[in-house]
Amino acid sequence: METKTQAPMSGRKAQAARNDELIKEAARAVFTADPGAPISAVAEHAGVGISALYRRYKSKEELLQRLADDGMDRYLTQVEAALEDDREAWSAFADFMRRCLDIGAGSLTMRLAGSFPVTEEMAKKGQAIHMATLKLLERTKEAGALRRDIEVGDISVLLEHLHTIRIGDDERMNRLQHRYLELYLAALHMPEAEELPGPPPNWQELRGRYDD
């Protein structure tokens, strides 16, 4: 079968793609620090003109939707990779958690929840994420490597908590986040531990935070 190669982007399209990545990275940084920041702060942080930003996104709300959707895609890629990982279950799960921390999974959830409408496509993607994560947790539990009372909602909340650590510069902050992730992982890797108090957050509770 003949393989089609993707034609390289023109100079203008390549620059537009680079600008889009700059804008999204800047928006993650700006809105994590201050969800109420104006969209002009994103353009300034990205080093692009406000007109370049508005050519990509008509409003702050649209930009926030894109950030949330991109974050869901990045997380789903990681959980699917973990499910395909044929190493022993705990190694696959622990590395999945480390990758989630590095890609910023959960970093904007609490900061941006309720600040933009959730599309039907995003809701469906959220359900797919929930089911894939549930499958990964069940596999790790069946291997006797994970606490029996840990559920999907627990993973979401743990990742959110790790991203609230804002100490030092980016490098120091990342090292501290990974320090405390390792503490979390040690606690999670205790299948015979006493049951935790109270039920974990369920899908409706997690989803409900995004409703205006």
Side-chain angles (χ1 to χ4, degrees), residues 94-144:
D95 282 350
F96 156 75
M97 292 291 287
R98 295 177 185 119
R99 293 196 305 271
C100 282
L101 181 57
D102 283 334
I103 66 170
S107 62
L108 288 175
T109 302
M110 287 298 292
R111 301 294 275 167
L112 302 184
S115 59
F116 59 90
V118 176
T119 65
E120 183 177 348
E121 181 182 354
M122 290 172 68
K124 289 179 179 178
K125 195 174 294 184
Q127 291 178 322
I129 285 171
H130 186 93
M131 295 308 298
T133 307
L134 179 61
K135 186 175 180 181
L136 177 63
L137 296 183
E138 289 177 343
R139 187 182 74 176
T140 313
K141 290 177 188 178
E142 287 170 4

Side-chain angles (χ1 to χ4, degrees), residues 69-85 96 99-100 103 125 128-129 132-133:
D69 193 56
D70 279 0
M72 295 171 80
D73 285 339
R74 293 162 80 182
Y75 178 92
L76 188 56
T77 294
Q78 295 305 327
V79 73
E80 288 175 343
L83 288 169
E84 293 173 2
D85 193 330
F96 156 75
R99 293 196 305 271
C100 282
I103 66 170
K125 195 174 294 184
I129 285 171
T133 307

Side-chain angles (χ1 to χ4, degrees), residues 13 22 31 63 73-74 90 105-106 115 123 128 171-172 186 189 198 205 208:
K13 288 183 178 179
L22 284 172
F31 295 137
L63 177 54
D73 285 339
R74 293 162 80 182
W90 176 253
S115 59
E171 181 179 357
R172 175 62 174 152
H189 196 27
E205 288 175 311

